[in-house]
Amino acid sequence: MTRLRAEVLVIGGGATGAAAAWDAALRGFDVVLVDRADLAEGTSGRFHGLLHSGGRYVVKDPLAAEECVAENVILRRIIPDAIEDTGGLFVTTPDDDPAYGDRFLEGCRAAGLPAQEIPAAEALRIEPRVNPGISRAFTVPDAAIDVWKTVGSLTAGAAAHGARILTYHRVLDLHTADGAVTGARVRNELTGEELDIEAGFTLNASGAWAAEIVRMAGIEGIGVIPGKGIMIAMNHRLVNTVVNRCTMPSDGDILVPIRTVSVIGTTDVRAADPDEIPVAQHEVDAMLADGERLVPGLRHARALRVWAGVRPLFQDDRSGPAAADTRDVSRTHAVVDHAERDGVGRLLTMSGGKLTTMRLMAQDLVDAMCRQLGDERPCRTEHERPPGNDDGRYLHLGDRLRRREATLQDEQLICECELIGRGRLEDAMRSHGTLHLDDVRRRLRLGMGPCQGGFCMYRATGIMHAVDRLDGEQASASLLSFLQERWKGVWPILYGDQLRQARLDDWIFQGLLDVEHLPEAAAVEPGAEPAAV
Ligand SMILES: Cc1cc2nc3c(=O)[nH]c(=O)nc-3n(C[C@H](O)[C@H](O)[C@H](O)COP(=O)(O)OP(=O)(O)OC[C@H]3O[C@@H](n4cnc5c(N)ncnc54)[C@H](O)[C@@H]3O)c2cc1C
């Protein structure tokens, strides 16, 4: 069996694990990061896309609010390339209590959040589609954050400092000796090969799967509650600013503009299993109805795709009875020290938190590791920019179009919705070396616009076939598994124009390519949802 050695093993390649790998590598530790799938394929790749100003939590969860206020400023400084500075509005709709606005402002002042009340008419001038019945409005520094750029940049930074980033490597077991974790056995999910990683310290950043990981070291009862939320992408930017309802956090009360689309979300219910989070029709109906309160007519826009994610909410069974409602569990984070809690050394678990606070979470985690090792090394992530952020510019929606126009005559356009040219696609395929079109989607947003892959995916499959020298069966398998994955997100929202679009996509893939009878079809793992393409 192949063996690897590292000073630090990070389990989980979501935002928290990527930030922890970057932090530890910057402090000079030799790091290996493993994820059972691609980077950010867990909750981080299924979140709402909001860089919180903290406004959402100022009344209910002041500590979480303060953390967001501070981290919002830091992330804008260190990873501007992943952030679109949309700004945010909190608005009092006719269904909300106007007096909450006073508590909101008071909370903002206490948390140090620069919020400002503006006339409702001014808010409607900024965002004309917002409910004309709003009575109050407040501006806050919310923004949209691209998680794939974030995680890609942090892991590239870690790798530049010597870290090894092993995607598609699942932890099967933790090794223990003399009351401490000494590494892990992992399996390469693409080749089936198993390897042993000998590690001086293990950081468990596996989010909603954290309890499953520590059970491998015989540790029971750490309280990670999977809090499920759904989100729906609408087919264009209904707003250009993040728009929140000014009320206690509830369902469907935030609309986030993300690149060419806008996303309404979310819900918060306890899930039994983080890997089983289907979306029910009634959840879709309720979400669209909630969205109508913010933007009347929202349900007449085309719903492109629905998906769900699971919050790794922390509530230890040693810290009192569990909250009945997942919304009542704090959004702050906790480092679980298994030496103190369970007598198992050299293992720490990160639990809770937000994507907005991932840097701080990583700092707390690596600080705790340094303390346990008796090897204090200062954290540098507050000021150091990972690769791709050198010019200090925020992401601008128009940048891709500007770049595209410069090569309009010379380069073939593969994805019209997201303006992805052939050169960029080939570069991504070459550098990532993946067989999965879904991985390429995450890197470039390929197939994530209004046609949801209808026009670009068969082109991308052909290009992948040539670039990666896939054989016909591998290329077919990749296309089919992409279509299956898309289908899961599309079938619960099939009505109106989206139904027409899905029929068109179906004709393209069935009629032109006869995808259901491609050579490999039988070998593709059917998704949990209805098996159709
Ligand atoms: C619906 C919803 C909306 C949200 N919206 C926002 C928002 O707008 N803004 C915000 O700041 N926060 C938001 N959050 C919270 C935020 O998304 C999470 O806190 C954050 O993404 C968690 O990141 P993570 O790295 O801890 O977990 P994950 O991203 O889930 O990473 C854990 C990783 O561990 C891997 N893993 C699991 N088991 C194994 C194993 N055996 N071996 C190897 N790897 C393994 C998984 O594949 C996964 O990639 C939202 C959460 C939800 C659910």
Side-chain angles (χ1 to χ4, degrees):
M1 192 182 295
T2 311
R3 286 178 198 281
L4 281 185
R5 264 189 191 188
E7 287 176 307
V8 182
L9 168 64
V10 178
I11 303 175
T16 312
W22 164 239
D23 185 318
L26 263 188
R27 296 193 208 202
F29 288 104
D30 170 32
V31 177
V32 168
L33 177 148
V34 293
D35 196 292
R36 65 180 185 170
D38 194 16
L39 296 173
E41 209 180 308
T43 305
S44 299
R46 295 159 203 271
F47 85 134
H48 199 171
L50 172 60
L51 178 69
H52 282 278
S53 60
R56 184 165 176 78
Y57 303 113
V58 286
V59 175
K60 187 164 185 179
D61 201 344
L63 180 57
E66 279 174 32
E67 289 174 352
C68 289
V69 170
E71 290 304 306
N72 179 297
V73 173
I74 296 172
L75 293 190
R76 282 167 180 269
R77 184 168 64 231
I78 62 169
I79 48 165
D81 186 55
I83 294 170
E84 188 190 348
D85 187 18
T86 59
L89 282 172
F90 276 73
V91 295
T92 307
T93 74
D95 294 307
D96 305 325
D97 176 8
Y100 182 87
D102 298 329
R103 294 171 68 196
F104 174 77
L105 269 184
E106 213 173 283
C108 289
R109 262 191 296 275
L113 196 169
Q116 200 188 344
E117 181 154 16
I118 58 169
E122 171 66 5
L124 290 171
R125 194 191 58 73
I126 299 169
E127 286 302 342
R129 284 204 177 88
V130 163
N131 192 329
I134 59 169
S135 54
R136 300 185 76 175
F138 307 87
T139 58
V140 294
D142 281 341
I145 179 164
D146 182 320
V147 67
W148 295 292
K149 270 181 176 266
T150 301
V151 168
S153 163
L154 293 170
T155 49
H161 285 77
R164 286 156 286 174
I165 309 293
L166 305 181
T167 54
Y168 293 101
H169 280 73
R170 178 188 293 269
V171 173
L172 301 175
D173 202 4
L174 292 181
H175 300 311
T176 52
D178 304 325
V181 169
T182 55
R185 183 161 55 86
V186 306
R187 181 178 61 221
N188 181 329
E189 297 288 83
L190 302 178
T191 63
E193 186 200 359
E194 292 192 4
L195 53 146
D196 257 327
I197 301 178
E198 197 182 303
F201 211 101
T202 300
L203 299 176
N204 178 15
S206 58
W209 294 268
E212 204 177 289
I213 294 292
V214 298
R215 231 172 273 131
M216 296 174 187
I219 297 167
E220 294 292 339
I222 80 152
V224 182
I225 306 168
K228 174 189 137 181
I230 75 156
M231 290 134 287
I232 304 176
M234 310 306 287
N235 72 328
H236 58 103
R237 278 168 80 112
L238 295 166
V239 288
N240 287 307
T241 313
V242 176
V243 181
N244 307 257
R245 272 176 68 187
C246 192
T247 181
M248 278 294 192
S250 63
D251 289 350
D253 55 356
I254 312 181
L255 186 59
V256 185
I258 301 179
R259 305 288 184 111
T260 53
V261 302
S262 38
V263 178
I264 182 76
T266 167
T267 51
D268 199 344
V269 291
R270 188 179 291 241
D273 177 348
D275 285 311
E276 281 298 322
I277 44 170
V279 178
Q281 193 62 51
H282 69 86
E283 293 177 292
V284 170
D285 292 341
M287 182 60 58
L288 293 173
D290 288 330
E292 288 277 324
R293 294 176 216 257
L294 272 177
V295 172
L298 176 135
R299 67 161 65 244
H300 299 303
R302 180 149 64 91
L304 290 179
R305 178 170 156 79
V306 58
W307 69 96
V310 272
R311 296 173 184 82
L313 302 173
F314 178 65
Q315 194 161 57
D316 201 355
D317 65 358
R318 298 197 184 167
S319 59
D325 188 337
T326 45
R327 282 204 191 282
D328 293 333
V329 180
S330 171
R331 269 28 180 180
T332 54
H333 59 274
V335 176
V336 185
D337 183 334
H338 295 289
E340 277 173 15
R341 185 191 182 277
D342 310 289
V344 178
R346 295 176 181 254
L347 173 69
L348 295 168
T349 291
M350 175 47 74
S351 187
K354 315 268 324 147
L355 195 122
T356 302
T357 55
M358 67 183 168
R359 190 211 62 86
L360 176 64
M361 293 158 71
Q363 176 176 346
D364 289 351
L365 195 60
V366 181
D367 278 351
M369 175 182 82
C370 289
R371 275 195 301 277
Q372 203 179 117
L373 290 173
D375 181 4
E376 300 284 351
R377 303 185 195 184
C379 175
R380 290 166 47 199
T381 56
E382 199 179 324
H383 298 286
E384 196 93 18
R385 283 189 180 142
N389 297 284
D390 311 326
D391 65 6
R393 284 185 72 228
Y394 287 128
L395 185 161
H396 282 278
L397 186 61
D399 283 354
R400 212 174 248 190
L401 180 59
R402 206 167 302 123
R403 280 197 301 271
R404 225 3 256 152
E405 281 181 334
T407 56
L408 207 55
Q409 304 301 325
D410 321 321
E411 213 205 358
Q412 193 183 359
L413 187 58
I414 303 302
C415 174
E416 286 89 349
C417 303
E418 297 288 338
L419 293 170
I420 298 164
R422 183 169 187 140
R424 193 139 177 262
L425 180 61
E426 289 189 353
D427 282 351
M429 286 173 174
R430 278 197 196 97
S431 64
H432 193 50
T434 179
L435 303 184
H436 298 285
L437 283 166
D438 214 38
D439 294 350
V440 180
R441 168 181 74 83
R442 275 186 288 275
R443 292 288 175 292
L444 299 180
R445 292 184 62 82
L446 183 77
M448 286 174 76
C451 86
Q452 290 285 291
F455 295 101
C456 57
M457 272 308 153
Y458 58 86
R459 298 170 186 155
T461 310
I463 292 169
M464 200 172 204
H465 181 55
V467 170
D468 288 345
R469 301 185 201 290
L470 301 190
D471 62 27
E473 290 191 357
Q474 287 169 318
S476 310
S478 191
L479 176 62
L480 271 167
S481 70
F482 176 87
L483 293 173
Q484 284 283 4
E485 198 49 43
R486 288 276 94 176
W487 177 248
K488 282 189 211 167
V490 164
W491 73 266
I493 44 161
L494 285 181
Y495 64 88
D497 284 343
Q498 181 59 16
L499 181 56
R500 286 187 200 100
Q501 177 74 54
R503 270 311 276 146
L504 175 61
D505 292 352
D506 193 47
W507 279 326
I508 291 172
F509 288 105
Q510 307 277 19
L512 288 180
L513 297 177
D514 195 15
V515 277
E516 282 194 351
H517 303 102
L518 289 172
E520 201 278 340
V524 172
E525 257 195 17
E529 308 298 339
V533 285

